[in-house]
Amino acid sequence: MINKNSPIPIYYQLEEHIKELIEKGELLPGDALPPEREYAEKYKISRMTVRQAFTQLVNDGYLYRLQGKGTFVAERKIEQPLQGLTSFTEDMKTRGMIPGSQLIHFEIIPASKQVASQLSISEFAPVYEIKRIRLADGVPMAYETNYISANLIKGLTEQIVNQSLYAYIEGQLHLKIDSASQMIESSIANQNEAKLLKISKGAPVMLIQRNTYLKDGTPVELVKSVYRADRYKFMIQMKR
């Protein structure tokens, strides 16, 4: 498996071998890898080379480390294409996963100046403030806060928001969701986010703000989300 005469770096050969075992299902999520020392002895390479391969696999999301316990196979990340406009529920169903929501907060509040500006409504106009944990197969993926104009989207209930907002807006209110703009930036989880997402405080997360619009250009939704960086990745295809 390790060819020391190859021009390909040894750490990269080891990295690709472990990656292949994971992709074939010979190493499963949660499995512990042998210590670096064992890999070094087995392939007669330095522990530094093994550590370099492990570190790259951790950075790429294939492995994770637990202090004092070792290195383990990570759950595979959910890949989210950025080409189309879909809801979280639709995304998870497409992947054969069971979508779910845990409602944290549901209230009609006066719109702040910033929220009013994003939704093109008057300051202090009524908006739904909805906070949810988004789940895939029961695992927390994102902590999401939605702001929706109560004068535009009428009749929202806790039961509805625990299912799919987009299905309600389009299926029941017959409003056509047409486009969205989305901003993504990296951050680390604060104490509250870590608790809700069941990750460590300071773990990497992705902050995403989405502004969604109806076909006539009316803003319908402002969403601020905190996604687990260890379980989610975004992919985009570009043409020159």
Side-chain angles (χ1 to χ4, degrees):
M1 187 276 300
I2 297 293
N3 182 358
K4 294 183 179 179
N5 296 319
S6 170
I8 300 173
I10 293 174
Y11 80 87
Y12 184 78
Q13 294 182 50
L14 178 58
E15 181 186 333
E16 289 299 300
H17 173 64
I18 294 172
K19 197 183 295 184
E20 183 180 2
L21 293 177
I22 293 171
E23 290 172 348
K24 285 182 175 179
E26 294 180 35
L27 284 173
L28 300 174
D31 283 354
L33 268 70
E36 294 174 1
R37 172 182 48 79
E38 289 189 23
Y39 274 101
E41 291 173 355
K42 179 178 180 180
Y43 298 113
K44 295 180 172 53
I45 57 179
S46 71
R47 290 183 64 176
M48 184 66 72
T49 298
V50 178
R51 187 173 298 118
Q52 190 174 3
F54 277 21
T55 298
Q56 188 58 50
L57 288 165
V58 169
N59 292 339
D60 290 344
Y62 284 90
L63 304 177
Y64 67 94
R65 290 188 173 106
L66 289 178
Q67 188 73 27
K69 294 185 177 180
T71 305
F72 300 84
V73 179
E75 295 281 351
R76 295 304 303 273
K77 292 186 179 183
I78 295 172
E79 187 174 277
Q80 171 59 45
L82 291 177
Q83 289 93 332
L85 176 55
T86 55
S87 70
F88 181 89
T89 299
E90 291 166 341
D91 291 337
M92 295 307 104
K93 286 182 176 178
T94 298
R95 285 158 180 75
M97 305 180 79
I98 300 173
S101 291
Q102 180 183 347
L103 187 63
I104 304 297
H105 174 84
F106 179 85
E107 186 180 5
I108 294 179
I109 63 170
S112 67
K113 186 174 183 179
Q114 181 191 25
V115 169
S117 173
Q118 297 283 343
L119 292 177
S120 296
I121 58 177
S122 302
E123 187 176 1
F124 308 122
V127 294
Y128 298 100
E129 182 181 61
I130 305 161
K131 298 185 179 183
R132 297 180 289 177
I133 305 298
R134 307 312 302 267
L135 310 167
D137 289 343
V139 177
M141 292 290 170
Y143 172 43
E144 185 179 273
T145 302
N146 300 61
Y147 295 98
I148 300 171
S149 169
N151 290 328
L152 176 66
I153 306 300
K154 300 179 184 297
L156 278 186
T157 64
E158 293 187 13
Q159 183 179 4
I160 291 169
V161 300
N162 265 324
Q163 299 171 16
S164 174
L165 279 173
Y166 282 17
Y168 175 75
I169 291 169
E170 294 188 316
Q172 300 297 317
L173 301 183
H174 307 294
L175 297 172
K176 177 63 178 174
I177 296 171
D178 182 70
S179 62
S181 60
Q182 191 158 270
M183 180 178 67
I184 303 173
E185 58 182 314
S186 61
S187 185
I188 58 175
N190 62 33
Q191 188 169 349
N192 183 54
E193 293 162 352
K195 179 181 178 182
L196 293 171
L197 293 174
K198 298 182 180 178
I199 56 178
S200 301
K201 180 183 177 183
V205 293
M206 292 179 288
L207 303 181
I208 302 172
Q209 178 173 308
R210 177 189 280 191
N211 297 71
T212 309
Y213 305 92
L214 299 178
K215 198 167 184 65
D216 64 2
T218 302
V220 67
E221 177 189 42
L222 168 64
V223 188
K224 297 180 179 181
S225 303
V226 181
Y227 275 83
R228 288 176 56 165
D230 66 329
R231 295 302 312 274
Y232 224 81
K233 62 181 177 180
F234 291 85
M235 182 270 291
I236 187 168
Q237 291 182 338
M238 295 179 285
K239 281 189 175 183
R240 182 176 172 83

